[in-house]
Amino acid sequence: MKRIFPIALALAVTSACAQEAEEPAPASEEPLNLEQLLERFNWDLDAVEITTEQVGERLYVLFGAGGNIAVSVGEQGVLVVDDMFPEVIPKVEAAIREIGGEGADGKIDFAINTHWHFDHAEGDLALGPGGTWIAAHANSAAMMAKENILNMVITQYRQPPYPPAARPAIVYDDRMRFDFNGEEIDLVHAGPAHTAGDTAVIFKGHNAVHFGDVFNNTGYPFIDVDSGGGINGMIAFCQAILDEIGPDAIVIPGHGPVTDSATLQAYIDMLTTVRDRVAAQMAEGKSLMAVVASNVTNDLEERYGPVTNSLGFVDRVYTSLQRDAE
């Protein structure tokens, strides 16, 4: 099947916004609503096309707007990991009908949220009221029950609370398992990382894992420090999952193309390198602005792109290290 790669949130920054990257939004700027945010990042949900990649027997990845969706299709029904936006759910269901074969109705029985951010979980607003059972880590479920200000450094987004019907009904703390469609599917929380409530979903029969935004395969990640994420947690989470899945796994990132354990290891190495460089400058007493201006990622940009395309990556590394030291 045809495959394209989505425009990840971290790389959806327009040229004008890219010039602001690593520069915090003015304190006077009001947080944006979803319509304003989509306009700023130049997303048109009506124009989104869903494309599909098969990564194993009855295991697929859907690409479109927002986070990648993993799909398990089988005799027991359909389980997805993440669900994009409600506006594209009819297209997601159509794609599931296509891969499910004759008799498939596209209905999603279970949706696992890797975390609570809008570009991965907003589809809950359509799925939950439609009868889909939603699962998430306890911290993500708690965030979804209230309003949150998502600080993306260059701008802020006001994410409203999800109504009760669109919130996770299945909640766990450290680890839980689905036995579904003939395989064990493990939900693992390896500590705070991208947020305080991240879930890696391991399809044991395929040795495949969906990381959510703990692993971004389009460039540098966004670390939501304001909701409990941090660079040390990102490294620890990725390493814990890599230790479990081993060197020959199928790795599904929150954004970007499906890849392998070697790419995940290189990502861990990059995170560790940037963390150590920032920490060394902090130990010398350098300010946030000085560290951001020092080009600590200069030799990494051939592989990961300009850091100006990120949502304040170096800023968030510094800020999380500063918080951890307090």
Side-chain angles (χ1 to χ4, degrees):
M1 295 183 181
K2 182 181 176 184
R3 182 185 75 180
I4 62 171
F5 303 142
I7 301 175
L9 177 61
L11 294 183
V13 185
T14 62
S15 297
C17 289
Q19 295 174 4
E20 304 170 30
E22 298 289 359
E23 293 290 338
S28 60
E29 182 179 297
E30 282 293 314
L32 305 180
N33 61 32
L34 185 56
E35 181 179 357
Q36 293 167 328
L37 188 69
L38 294 176
E39 182 178 356
R40 181 161 190 178
F41 288 138
N42 203 26
W43 278 9
D44 181 358
L45 297 181
D46 292 335
V48 168
E49 296 183 4
I50 301 298
T51 56
T52 305
E53 178 182 358
Q54 184 169 4
V55 297
E57 185 178 0
R58 295 189 172 272
L59 183 63
Y60 301 83
V61 180
L62 305 184
F63 305 93
N68 297 335
I69 299 178
V71 183
S72 168
V73 179
E75 291 183 359
Q76 289 180 278
V78 175
L79 177 148
V80 301
V81 182
D82 288 344
D83 51 30
M84 298 186 189
F85 296 91
E87 291 85 350
V88 301
I89 288 298
K91 299 177 183 180
V92 169
E93 292 173 334
I96 292 172
R97 284 194 294 273
E98 183 177 347
I99 63 180
E102 185 176 351
D105 61 7
K107 173 178 168 50
I108 296 170
D109 299 286
F110 294 97
I112 300 169
N113 296 150
T114 61
H115 61 295
W116 58 271
H117 286 165
F118 68 99
D119 58 322
H120 292 258
E122 201 79 0
D124 290 0
L125 295 170
L127 294 180
T132 300
W133 289 92
I134 301 169
H137 184 263
N139 290 341
S140 276
M143 296 296 279
M144 294 170 74
K146 65 185 185 69
E147 179 181 280
N148 299 284
I149 303 299
L150 180 53
N151 179 8
M152 294 179 280
V153 183
I154 65 169
T155 195
Q156 296 187 49
Y157 166 60
R158 188 186 304 277
Q159 182 160 320
Y162 286 68
R167 295 179 202 160
I170 304 168
V171 176
Y172 78 103
D173 291 318
D174 299 312
R175 192 177 190 111
M176 70 168 291
R177 172 171 291 173
F178 282 80
D179 286 298
F180 193 73
N181 285 338
E183 74 174 321
E184 297 171 352
I185 303 172
D186 284 354
L187 282 61
V188 182
H189 174 68
H194 171 62
T195 70
D198 299 296
T199 294
V201 182
I202 303 174
F203 297 87
K204 305 279 280 189
H206 293 84
N207 196 24
V209 57
H210 191 310
F211 261 95
D213 277 357
V214 180
F215 174 40
N216 172 16
N217 199 26
T218 64
Y220 302 105
F222 167 57
I223 307 173
D224 189 356
V225 178
D226 289 17
S227 73
I231 184 62
N232 287 322
M234 292 277 285
I235 295 166
F237 193 112
C238 288
Q239 189 63 58
I241 301 302
L242 180 57
D243 290 345
E244 181 163 345
I245 61 178
D248 301 313
I250 299 164
V251 179
I252 303 166
H255 299 273
V258 176
T259 187
D260 53 23
S261 297
T263 303
L264 175 59
Q265 181 62 68
Y267 177 81
I268 295 170
D269 293 344
M270 178 274 291
L271 294 178
T272 303
T273 295
V274 175
R275 188 269 313 272
D276 291 349
R277 290 174 179 176
V278 171
Q281 293 197 40
M282 293 175 70
E284 295 172 358
K286 291 188 177 179
S287 69
L288 170 60
M289 292 183 63
V291 174
V292 168
S294 69
N295 297 321
V296 294
T297 61
N298 187 54
D299 60 328
L300 302 170
E301 293 188 358
E302 182 176 353
R303 180 162 190 168
Y304 294 98
V307 75
T308 50
N309 282 350
S310 74
L311 296 178
F313 175 54
V314 175
D315 178 299
R316 298 292 84 187
V317 171
Y318 184 107
T319 303
S320 71
L321 290 175
Q322 186 178 56
R323 178 201 61 199
D324 292 348
E326 293 175 350

